[in-house]
Amino acid sequence: MPRERVLAAVGYAALALLCLAAMAWTVFTGIARLTLLGKAVEVRLTERHRDDGARNTTHTACGGPSPRTTDPGTIEVRYEGRQGETIRVARTPWGRYEAVDTGFVSWGIAVLAPLLPLGAAAATAALAVREIRRARRTAGSGRAA
């Protein structure tokens, strides 16, 4: 098999796996934001500050007392709120808290957002399969000669 075709197939397969991971992240974040598992709690925001992000971006981070009695501390959530406001938050599988939003637009985003990485995963997987078939065809014609 030609080395270039094998490397291309491996690269496409790796991209497909990354796209599937991105799809899983969007699904779990959507489930948390829409509180589909029913584990949302209310938190009263006691502090608000702006955090610097990557590439000169900033976001507002709000914090409040942890709703869990086993881990009394402050939780941080990205939210454009004001101090003293009470919001509902849900915990994601990786430990962060997300503000709950069950509006129509949030439902649309939660349903449609995973489709983009799913489509990209399907496209890159198809390209990986195509490269594997081409590599086998090229290797098979080289042996026959």
Side-chain angles (χ1 to χ4, degrees):
M1 282 194 237
R3 182 178 173 92
E4 298 84 22
R5 297 248 187 242
V6 172
L7 288 176
V10 169
Y12 286 135
L15 281 174
L17 290 175
L18 286 173
C19 290
L20 287 175
M23 185 198 68
W25 181 82
T26 58
V27 166
F28 287 123
T29 301
I31 287 172
R33 284 186 183 157
L34 296 174
T35 190
L36 293 177
L37 298 178
K39 296 186 180 189
V41 293
E42 290 190 0
V43 173
R44 183 173 183 85
L45 303 177
T46 56
E47 61 185 65
R48 180 177 188 260
H49 60 279
R50 298 198 56 85
D51 284 340
D52 293 329
R55 298 184 183 166
N56 295 327
T57 60
T58 59
H59 65 273
T60 303
C62 298
S66 176
R68 296 181 294 152
T69 56
T70 58
D71 183 22
T74 302
I75 65 164
E76 187 174 308
V77 62
R78 284 187 181 186
Y79 182 70
E80 296 289 332
R82 51 187 192 280
Q83 206 165 345
E85 185 178 358
T86 302
I87 62 169
R88 291 179 62 209
V89 296
R91 190 173 181 157
T92 59
W94 44 89
R96 287 199 54 187
Y97 282 90
E98 294 284 338
V100 172
D101 185 9
T102 57
F104 179 73
V105 173
S106 294
W107 273 96
I109 290 171
V111 169
L112 296 176
L115 296 179
L116 184 63
L118 178 64
T124 53
L127 289 172
V129 168
R130 185 186 73 178
E131 288 299 322
I132 290 171
R133 287 181 180 164
R134 283 184 179 176
R136 285 185 180 171
R137 215 176 313 139
T138 305
S141 65
R143 282 190 228 145

